[in-house]
Amino acid sequence: MAVLFSLLILGVGTAISLYHFGETRHLLDAAQAALFRAVVAEVGRTVDDADRAVRRSFVLLAASSLADATRFGERVRDLPTLTGLLEADPVVDSVMIGYGGGDFLLVRHGRGEVAWEVVDVSRPAGVDAVPVVMVSRYDAHLRLLDARAEDDVSARYEPRLAEWYRLAAAQDALVVTAPGMLPFASRPGVTYARRNGAEVFAVNVGLDNLARLLARAPVPAGSRLQIADGAGRVVASGGRPDGAGADVMAATLRMSAGSTARRSVHDETGAGWQVSAAPLRGFGEQHWTLAVATPDASLFAEAERQRSHAIRVTVLAMLFSVPLAWGLSRLLTTPLHDLADVARGLSALQFQARPDTRSVILEVDQLARAIGVMRGAIARFLEMGRDLGAARDVGAVLDDVVNAARDVAGARLCRVEVADDGEGCAEVSRRATGQPLPAGPALQVLSALVYEAEGPVSLADRRTSGPWQYLGIPLRTPDGEALGALLLADRQGPRSGLARAEVAGFLLALAGSAAVALENQRLLRGRKALLRGVISMVAEAIDAKSPYTGGHCRRVTALAQGLARAAEASSQPSLAQFRLDANGHEALEIACWLHDCGKLTTPEYVIDKGSKLETLYNRIHEIRTRFEVLKRDVEVAYWRGIASGGDAYALRRRRDAAWQSLDDDFAFVARCNRGAEGVSEADLTRIDRIAARRWVRTLDDRLGLSPEELARHHAPPPPLPVAEALLHDGPEQVIARTDSALFARGNPWGFTMTVPSRLYDRGEVHNLKVGRGTLTEEERFKIREHIVQTILMLSRLPFPRELAAVPEMAGGHHETPDGRGYPRGLRGDQMSVAARILAIADIYEALTAPDRPYRSANTPAEALEIMTRLADEQAIDEALFRVFVEAQVWQVDDRPVAPASGLSAIGQQAGQHDKQDECDPQCPADPS
């Protein structure tokens, strides 16, 4: 109560303070706006006066003889006129005259005893002659003090190159340059210029007066004033000299955009500023903007002072009233404070026992008793909720429900029935604690009604020996589905909790929590079953593409799990901290099954390429047909020779020799096509020689092609018949790569693989020249690319947090500790132990796999010897390989087993390993 009274005083005082503060700010803001308008008007008048004065000066210049003067002596006669112009208007900095022949005259103020300085540039020898620069200095009475010739004949004294000259010479009107540094001066200004025949008169107007005018403006302390032209260049500025508010001023000039604007902004330090901007006509026809920025701290200082005074008055009033109100209300509010402490403890989930709260107010006393009951109920309910949430299977959930319900209700007997459809068979799972519920009609009726009821069902059975009270509560999900029922029984009596409404309500909430826990368990089982089904589907798809390595993932899984268990039990220092919980083992198992899922994107003919010319079919048949055509041509030539009366014996010998040569060449091509042997330099030369032989094609080779094939034929078709190479390498056999961005530097996945420029090169000579095996460089990359696709596919799957490491484990089995692996070039310390485990299991299985059609399996001893070399070369983890050997993990039974997560049921549908192991730097099982 004392607090309420104090808050009332505080509120009234605060409202008054805020009102006065707002009104004062409004008055100050209005005064600032009026001051800004006055500054705009004064600056406008100053600019207009200067503009009119400069325009009048051109009338005097045009009336002078300066335009006709050709020598310095003639020009200096008009020096009084020029100095008179400079003295008449202080904004004029200097006068310039540029002549069409390149002569130049500059008259400007001097310094000290030198009142005037005249620079004359003449070309007495002609227009293109070397100019003569003469600098003369005069006192205030135009008496010559000294004159000197300058050696500088650079272009800086060439008026025809100056902007003001070019602009004025191009038009008859008066032109004004943009604000900038004046010619031959170190201060800002603009230049007025006008053509007079072949000459151009120019007057330089300084902007110093504007800056001084802004500096004298009666604005609050700390304000910044600035004039800018239409391009945002600063014409003049005034106010505080430091850099504070520079960003505010720049923003003000941008926001005005030639219109009047006024608003509040904050600078980069967070300080508030009141900014105003208004358009202003500048020199000539230029459009300027005048902006003023005043810090809030200066503008509203008086408002802040009044607010502080009001706050002090309010505080003094509170200091006087609070003790009085406190003393009167303490007797009434002490119990409420105690209850507030209890409520705060409840909000912090603290349920420690506290002394009972008593109050002379009846309502407060009743509230204290209600809070005590609520504290006990919440404590029991939260404890039950924690137990239900921590349960990891249906049995544990049911046990927790039975124990909690029996404790709350004090019932002698408690039973939970749950209808669990499991894997599709409707079966009632029954759990019970204590003695069985007494059989009888009441129990039968209760069991029938409880599944249909929306809430608790209570029955009494007096026909049994001793009356029994029954209570049934359905376990319903939030969707209303009945998963089971909670049944309780107790002897009727005054102490029985089953008849109390609060117990029934509590049990109803408990049943709801139990239903949610059971539903979560069911959903979890369903999600895991779905995951197993997806993995099974992927494995079956991989197996359907190539049956050669269908057991690879199953064997890799068995080896990796064995090595993981051995690594956990190892005494190796580098593995001392390595431990996998149940989720970790499940993640490793899933990674093993899916580590080659990217092969779904690898074409079958690349995975199973058994010969060099094989794509979707073996193109050796096309080449054999060409050889047959050449042999037929030899036969035709033989009979033509006979018909012409040639020597039959000689013709026959020539025919047989040609046939034999063609047979030998085709046999050589067929042997090279198998890829079982290496290709020597002599073989490469012979392939080129055979490819150079010609055969005659009489049919259009573009008939019947698909649009994609036709798109690769860029050249027009040659006229038929056409002689072609016996082995063909053409541009239409090259397929361009379109996914290079996936491997570009800085890609988000960190891939560092060197990408071939072409996707495929199906040229016959190109393929026959493959040195080892049957794969071209492009096809080897396509097989390696399966790990890239594996990473991309797995990274898109929404794995739960406990399985989030699956993509990293599966995507690292081709990496090496020395950083020479792929696709990311990771080093050992950048890979998880699980990923290194999978790499070792993958290599050993590939070396010893008996189901590879292109080579024989290595014996375990041979495989371990090869892997020892790999460990020495830092191609596999040395510590893990030592555990692999010492624990004899390589002797893991290859038969299907039932792992913990239930994934072994899909063992036969597992993915496959690279058919072409020779392209994998981690696996040196090279069949060649």
Side-chain angles (χ1 to χ4, degrees):
M1 192 175 297
V3 174
L4 292 176
F5 185 70
S6 301
L7 290 177
L8 178 61
I9 297 175
L10 178 62
V12 172
T14 302
I16 296 174
S17 300
L18 292 177
Y19 174 77
H20 284 291
F21 178 71
E23 288 298 313
T24 305
R25 282 178 63 102
H26 177 72
L27 292 175
L28 291 175
D29 193 50
Q32 176 70 4
L35 179 61
F36 175 71
R37 289 192 295 270
V39 171
V40 172
E42 184 176 357
V43 172
R45 286 194 300 272
T46 301
V47 172
D48 290 342
D49 293 345
D51 183 72
R52 286 193 297 271
V54 172
R55 290 176 184 271
R56 288 195 300 270
S57 66
F58 278 93
V59 177
L60 297 177
L61 290 174
S64 68
S65 61
L66 288 170
D68 300 324
T70 59
R71 294 188 305 275
F72 176 68
E74 298 174 354
R75 297 167 188 154
V76 79
R77 284 198 294 267
D78 287 300
L79 183 59
T81 301
L82 297 177
T83 56
L85 291 177
L86 294 175
E87 289 179 331
D89 196 340
V91 300
V92 177
D93 176 82
S94 57
V95 178
M96 301 181 295
I97 303 174
Y99 294 87
D103 289 1
F104 176 65
L105 178 66
L106 168 67
V107 178
R108 60 188 176 189
H109 291 280
R111 295 181 180 179
E113 64 178 6
V114 178
W116 308 104
E117 188 176 75
V118 179
V119 178
D120 179 78
V121 179
S122 302
R123 287 176 170 83
V127 174
D128 298 326
V130 177
V132 175
V133 180
M134 180 64 67
V135 180
S136 305
R137 299 193 298 174
Y138 297 83
D139 61 9
H141 300 287
L142 298 182
R143 291 191 294 262
L144 180 66
L145 298 177
D146 58 55
R148 69 180 188 282
E150 287 192 357
D151 296 332
D152 186 354
V153 292
S154 63
R156 77 188 186 97
Y157 287 122
E158 172 56 70
R160 293 169 296 180
L161 298 179
E163 180 185 13
W164 55 271
Y165 186 95
R166 288 187 287 104
L167 291 175
Q171 51 188 306
D172 291 329
L174 179 69
V175 298
V176 182
T177 63
M181 299 306 294
L182 291 176
F184 313 106
S186 59
R187 62 172 180 160
V190 298
T191 300
Y192 284 73
R194 185 163 190 170
R195 188 180 67 186
N196 186 15
E199 287 68 40
V200 174
F201 294 123
V203 176
N204 292 323
V205 177
L207 299 176
D208 306 67
N209 284 349
L210 292 179
R212 287 191 291 272
L213 177 62
L214 294 181
R216 295 194 307 270
V219 294
S223 299
R224 289 182 64 95
L225 299 92
Q226 211 168 76
I227 299 176
D229 64 3
R233 294 183 293 264
V234 177
V235 175
S237 61
R240 57 192 306 171
D242 57 8
D247 55 335
V248 172
M249 185 61 68
T252 303
L253 293 173
R254 286 196 302 270
M255 77 174 183
S256 64
S259 61
T260 301
R262 180 172 176 79
R263 67 183 61 181
S264 298
V265 298
H266 291 81
D267 61 14
E268 57 186 9
T269 64
W273 292 72
Q274 300 297 318
V275 297
S276 302
L280 188 69
R281 191 177 72 84
F283 291 125
E285 300 300 327
Q286 293 179 355
H287 298 283
W288 292 353
T289 299
L290 172 61
V292 177
T294 302
D296 289 351
S298 298
L299 181 61
F300 303 121
E302 177 61 22
E304 293 289 345
R305 188 192 66 78
Q306 292 188 14
R307 183 174 64 172
S308 300
H309 178 71
I311 291 174
R312 287 193 295 270
V313 172
T314 303
V315 170
L316 290 175
M318 286 188 62
L319 292 177
F320 174 76
S321 61
V322 167
L324 178 62
W326 187 269
L328 294 175
S329 62
R330 182 173 179 80
L331 180 63
L332 301 177
T333 57
T334 298
L336 294 177
H337 287 301
D338 294 339
L339 293 179
D341 292 338
V342 173
R344 282 193 292 270
L346 292 178
S347 66
L349 301 182
Q350 297 175 357
F351 304 102
Q352 297 88 346
R354 290 175 176 265
D356 293 338
T357 301
R358 292 290 181 263
S359 174
V360 296
I361 301 176
L362 177 61
E363 290 79 2
V364 176
D365 197 53
Q366 292 175 343
L367 176 63
R369 288 195 295 270
I371 289 179
V373 174
M374 179 182 66
R375 180 176 59 190
I378 293 176
R380 288 196 300 272
F381 191 78
L382 290 179
E383 183 179 358
M384 296 173 190
R386 285 194 297 268
D387 294 340
L388 291 176
R392 292 291 178 242
D393 55 51
V394 175
V397 171
L398 298 182
D399 288 339
D400 290 339
V401 172
V402 168
N403 294 332
R406 187 173 56 184
D407 292 342
V408 170
R412 299 185 181 184
L413 304 175
C414 183
R415 173 175 177 165
V416 178
E417 294 181 352
V418 177
D420 186 5
D421 57 1
E423 299 298 329
C425 58
E427 174 185 349
V428 176
S429 173
R430 299 181 183 275
R431 295 263 177 166
T433 60
Q435 301 174 358
L437 270 64
L443 179 59
Q444 296 175 2
V445 173
L446 180 64
S447 299
L449 293 178
V450 70
Y451 284 94
E452 304 297 331
E454 296 295 331
V457 177
S458 179
L459 293 176
D461 188 357
R462 295 180 175 83
R463 291 178 294 180
T464 57
S465 56
W468 282 88
Q469 181 74 32
Y470 296 92
L471 182 63
I473 300 176
L475 304 181
R476 292 190 179 277
T477 66
D479 296 332
E481 180 183 0
L483 300 180
L486 172 63
L487 305 176
L488 300 97
D490 197 8
R491 295 283 187 181
Q492 283 187 337
R495 296 186 178 181
S496 176
L498 299 184
R500 300 208 309 266
E502 63 270 19
V503 172
F506 191 88
L507 292 177
L508 183 60
L510 175 62
S513 298
V516 171
L518 291 172
E519 178 68 5
N520 290 340
Q521 291 296 324
R522 187 171 67 172
L523 292 175
L524 180 60
R525 293 199 306 272
R527 295 298 185 270
K528 288 189 175 182
L530 176 62
L531 179 60
R532 290 195 295 271
V534 171
I535 295 175
S536 175
M537 177 186 66
V538 173
E540 288 176 357
I542 300 174
D543 196 36
K545 291 193 67 173
S546 175
Y548 294 135
T549 57
H552 168 72
C553 286
R554 174 175 54 81
R555 294 188 290 266
V556 167
T557 301
L559 289 167
Q561 288 179 322
L563 180 54
R565 289 190 292 269
E568 289 177 322
S570 172
S571 60
Q572 293 281 347
S574 60
L575 301 175
Q577 303 300 322
F578 174 67
R579 295 293 183 274
L580 290 179
D581 56 12
N583 292 327
H585 280 283
E586 183 179 5
L588 175 60
E589 185 179 11
I590 294 176
C592 291
W593 287 117
L594 296 179
H595 75 282
D596 277 342
C597 66
K599 288 187 179 177
L600 287 171
T601 65
T602 306
E604 295 176 45
Y605 72 86
V606 176
I607 296 178
D608 299 333
K609 188 175 183 183
S611 62
K612 297 180 180 179
L613 294 174
E614 183 176 344
T615 54
L616 296 177
Y617 68 98
N618 195 341
R619 292 178 293 161
I620 192 68
H621 303 300
E622 292 185 13
I623 296 176
R624 183 177 64 248
T625 301
R626 297 177 204 153
F627 273 91
E628 293 286 0
V629 171
L630 289 180
K631 291 183 70 175
R632 198 62 47 85
D633 289 346
V634 171
E635 176 76 8
V636 171
Y638 166 74
W639 287 112
R640 285 179 177 173
I642 294 296
S644 300
D647 185 352
Y649 176 74
L651 290 173
R652 187 166 50 255
R653 290 189 60 189
R654 188 179 304 116
R655 179 198 65 185
D656 294 344
W659 277 359
Q660 185 61 45
S661 175
L662 288 171
D663 290 344
D664 292 343
D665 286 347
F666 179 73
F668 170 74
V669 171
R671 177 173 60 83
C672 291
N673 182 44
R674 292 205 316 273
E677 303 175 3
V679 179
S680 63
E681 289 295 331
D683 292 339
L684 297 177
T685 302
R686 186 174 180 182
I687 290 174
D688 289 333
R689 180 179 59 78
I690 295 173
R693 299 189 68 161
R694 317 294 286 180
W695 70 288
V696 177
R697 175 172 58 83
T698 61
L699 297 175
D700 189 350
D701 62 347
R702 305 186 186 194
L703 294 177
L705 298 185
S706 67
E708 182 181 356
E709 292 176 296
L710 285 174
R712 295 200 296 268
H713 287 265
H714 304 294
L720 298 175
V722 59
E724 291 187 341
L726 185 57
L727 302 178
H728 183 53
D729 268 10
E732 70 276 4
Q733 293 174 314
V734 175
I735 300 178
R737 177 173 295 280
T738 59
D739 60 348
S740 298
L742 186 64
F743 304 95
R745 182 184 298 274
N747 65 80
W749 300 278
F751 300 143
T752 59
M753 301 171 66
T754 301
V755 185
S757 59
R758 302 168 174 177
L759 182 61
Y760 295 110
D761 189 340
R762 294 172 178 167
E764 295 167 350
V765 175
H766 178 75
N767 279 261
L768 288 172
K769 285 186 175 182
V770 171
R772 300 173 60 190
T774 62
L775 294 177
T776 64
E777 178 188 2
E778 295 81 10
E779 291 165 338
R780 288 178 183 273
F781 181 82
K782 173 55 71 173
I783 286 185
R784 287 190 173 191
E785 195 181 13
H786 83 276
I787 188 60
V788 172
Q789 297 301 325
T790 293
I791 293 174
L792 295 179
M793 292 166 67
L794 294 182
S795 63
R796 296 188 185 107
L797 293 179
F799 285 106
R801 182 177 58 184
E802 61 271 15
L803 301 180
V806 168
E808 187 273 336
M809 295 179 185
H813 69 278
H814 286 301
E815 304 287 357
T816 61
D818 60 1
R820 291 185 296 114
Y822 64 93
R824 294 181 172 125
L826 302 178
R827 304 189 67 84
D829 56 356
Q830 297 174 298
M831 302 165 56
S832 66
V833 177
R836 286 175 270 165
I837 287 174
L838 201 159
I840 291 176
D842 184 68
I843 293 175
Y844 180 81
E845 199 288 323
L847 290 170
T848 58
D851 51 4
R852 307 299 169 92
Y854 49 86
R855 61 166 173 81
S856 301
N858 295 102
T859 65
E862 293 171 342
L864 293 177
E865 182 180 355
I866 294 172
M867 294 179 71
T868 300
R869 292 199 302 271
L870 293 178
D872 294 339
E873 297 169 359
Q874 288 296 302
I876 59 176
D877 189 283
E878 184 177 2
L880 283 173
F881 177 65
R882 187 177 297 113
V883 173
F884 184 81
V885 175
E886 293 175 353
Q888 298 184 345
V889 177
W890 51 273
Q891 290 184 341
V892 169
D893 191 359
D894 193 35
R895 294 173 297 178
V897 294
S901 65
L903 294 176
S904 289
I906 55 173
Q908 297 302 326
Q909 293 89 26
Q912 312 155 18
H913 188 61
D914 290 352
K915 171 185 174 295
Q916 302 288 357
D917 288 329
E918 66 270 22
C919 73
D920 188 347
Q922 295 190 42
C923 189
D926 190 344
S928 59

